[in-house]
Amino acid sequence: MPAHGTAAADGDEKAPFPPPGTPEPPDGLLAPDGLLSLDELMPWSVRPLRTGRAWVSGPDPEALRARWERLAAAGPAEQERLFAPTRSRTPHVSVAALPGRSAGTGRFARTPGPCPDPVRILHGPYDEQWLLPDHRLIDAARPELWRVADGRQLFAVEHSAAPGDSGPALSVTTLLPDGHSPAGRPGRIRPLYRRPGGTEPNLAPGLPELLRERLGGAAEPDAFTPEAVLAWVLAAARPSATGPRVPLPADAEVWSSGVALGRELMRLQLRGARGGERPRLPGGRRPYVRAALPARPTELVHDAGDEALIVGDGRISPVPSAAWEFTVGGVRVLELWFGRRAAAATGRGPDGAAPDGLDAVGARGWPREWTSELLELITVLALLDGTAGARQELRAALGTGPLIGPAELRAAGVLPVPSSARRPASVLGHQEEGPEGQFALL
């Protein structure tokens, strides 16, 4: 079966979920006052990145460097064409540097400078790629995200859900996420902390204190930290047309079990970041390469009977059907992941067509790193699917147990959230380089 779905996915520029204040529809399993919008629990959110041009990101960092060199060496007319200008960005625009980055701020056509080292990003759910971190190349880079991205930060990214999706309603990552959605409308990005260094949680003011007062009892000492609240959200959030909605339990045991489940989901998605354990299936279930993958594979097929993934002439097994069938936005994650790399390996666009521009630059076949990443992705998806039973049990417990609803949060002064909590915090005590090398203190 050929990989599919990548063209529309990678070109999606639809608006994200509706903004704060959009009414929530009732839920069939919970009373209407039993659900809370994630926008109320984590009030500061940022729209997805918008690159404006596909060639600035991709699965191969060496290809990005080659594209930069080709663009920087081109003559004026060719550079204009290769750049793929938009209203926001052309080779003649000067902009402020990305926070924490030293790339140029002058006009690219005049002084492109050296190629910046590509940075690792999360390109939609479960797909780790690379980005050229130069503000002159990105239409909407969301500098407020770059300012708070550090070793303590965690980003929650909303999914555009579809019936039958296999995993949680959110992704969690330590990488800078671009908020891309494989299908439907992209979701918003919610940093856990509003300031660098893991300070000032992006939670409704007073929420952790209320939860500790109501549910503390025999709970673990760290059951109400910002990361514990995020773990609960990851385990309990329900997708909806207006963004994730979250029930809060009034039962301490339900809270503790949900936080434990969320921490496991978080561990799997972080893939060993921040000194954690990398996800691994039991010895007899770990996927291995049984036949070497070809240099430029074009097809991906799953043999359910043999639990094998056929990649051209290559073969990986065991690959459980649960990993193959894992979907987000109604799209198989493995197929989408493979389709992007199969196109990149041959210098073609996501839809298989020959691109007219920098997307074709830097194709170097299928590097070994991609095979390692594929094995890890299979592992992550299989383990995430293995939590389906626990997630269903949590949902059942929430459907029958008491809840902390909006009325109680309003009575405690947690809601409504102050407008200041929805805006970025003032985080800078140093200068950032502005257009043409000017500096400003924010």
Side-chain angles (χ1 to χ4, degrees):
M1 178 186 299
H4 67 269
T6 55
D10 287 347
D12 185 11
E13 291 290 347
K14 295 179 181 178
F17 292 132
T22 302
E24 295 286 346
D27 186 273
L29 297 180
L30 290 175
D33 65 349
L35 291 171
L36 293 153
S37 167
L38 182 57
D39 192 67
E40 301 301 331
L41 301 182
M42 300 183 71
W44 177 41
S45 66
V46 180
R47 292 171 63 90
L49 275 64
R50 189 178 72 250
T51 61
R53 49 203 51 78
W55 60 263
V56 300
S57 65
D60 184 3
E62 296 307 316
L64 300 185
R65 291 188 175 95
R67 293 170 186 175
W68 174 284
E69 298 299 336
R70 168 77 180 276
L71 182 68
E78 178 68 357
Q79 186 178 86
E80 185 85 13
R81 184 185 72 85
L82 292 173
F83 190 94
T86 59
R87 184 165 54 184
S88 298
R89 294 291 185 268
T90 76
H92 310 287
V93 170
S94 58
V95 297
L98 284 174
R101 300 288 156 181
S102 58
T105 59
R107 300 174 185 178
F108 190 95
R110 186 175 60 200
T111 53
C115 179
D117 289 334
V119 297
R120 196 71 157 158
I121 64 169
L122 186 69
H123 180 59
Y126 313 117
D127 191 347
E128 296 184 359
Q129 296 199 18
W130 299 88
L131 173 72
L132 286 171
D134 190 307
H135 209 179
R136 298 173 296 179
L137 310 181
I138 305 172
D139 279 13
R142 313 304 179 199
E144 59 270 40
L145 291 178
W146 296 76
R147 290 191 183 105
V148 298
D150 62 12
R152 296 288 307 278
Q153 187 63 268
L154 290 171
F155 295 100
V157 189
E158 300 172 2
H159 294 174
S160 179
D165 277 357
S166 312
L170 301 164
S171 292
V172 174
T173 180
T174 60
L175 303 175
L176 185 82
D178 64 8
H180 176 83
S181 174
R185 296 185 180 277
R188 299 183 76 90
I189 301 166
R190 298 180 188 272
L192 179 58
Y193 297 104
R194 293 167 50 79
R195 299 178 186 273
T199 58
E200 192 176 331
N202 178 26
L203 299 173
L207 177 63
E209 292 77 12
L210 172 68
L211 293 172
R212 184 181 300 277
E213 180 180 340
R214 288 282 271 109
L215 306 174
E220 296 293 327
D222 62 349
F224 305 100
T225 64
E227 290 196 16
V229 176
L230 178 58
W232 171 265
V233 168
L234 185 60
R238 317 279 183 83
S240 82
T242 55
R245 295 150 63 221
V246 184
L248 291 179
D251 184 293
E253 289 187 7
V254 174
W255 173 265
S256 295
S257 63
V259 169
L261 172 59
R263 282 177 170 151
E264 175 62 9
L265 295 171
M266 193 180 299
R267 182 188 72 83
L268 297 176
Q269 294 192 41
L270 295 187
R271 307 189 196 186
R274 297 170 51 175
E277 178 186 358
R278 299 196 78 87
R280 301 186 72 180
L281 286 161
R285 302 299 299 158
R286 293 175 192 164
Y288 291 94
V289 176
R290 311 295 179 175
L293 276 58
R296 288 176 170 80
T298 58
E299 288 192 335
L300 186 71
V301 177
H302 184 252
D303 185 330
D306 288 344
E307 287 196 321
L309 197 62
I310 313 301
V311 188
D313 295 330
R315 186 181 184 90
I316 297 173
S317 69
V319 178
S321 295
W324 172 251
E325 297 293 345
F326 196 100
T327 60
V328 174
V331 178
R332 284 187 182 133
V333 171
L334 279 176
E335 278 192 308
L336 185 60
W337 185 96
F338 171 80
R340 289 165 176 161
R341 285 153 182 81
T346 57
R348 293 186 173 272
D351 59 355
D356 180 25
L358 292 174
D359 290 314
V361 174
R364 60 186 182 110
W366 187 280
R368 287 187 301 175
E369 295 85 357
W370 290 357
T371 301
S372 299
E373 292 173 16
L374 177 55
L375 294 175
E376 183 171 74
L377 179 60
I378 292 168
T379 299
V380 168
L381 298 182
L383 290 171
L384 283 173
D385 183 80
T387 67
R391 286 186 276 122
Q392 188 59 39
E393 289 177 8
L394 178 63
R395 181 161 186 147
L398 288 166
T400 58
L403 299 170
I404 300 173
E408 183 171 347
L409 295 183
R410 285 193 293 269
V414 174
L415 296 181
V417 175
S419 59
S420 59
R422 301 191 183 281
R423 298 192 295 267
S426 176
V427 301
L428 294 182
H430 62 277
Q431 291 180 322
E432 284 186 1
E433 187 175 356
E436 301 290 351
Q438 300 179 23
F439 283 86
L441 182 65
L442 299 184

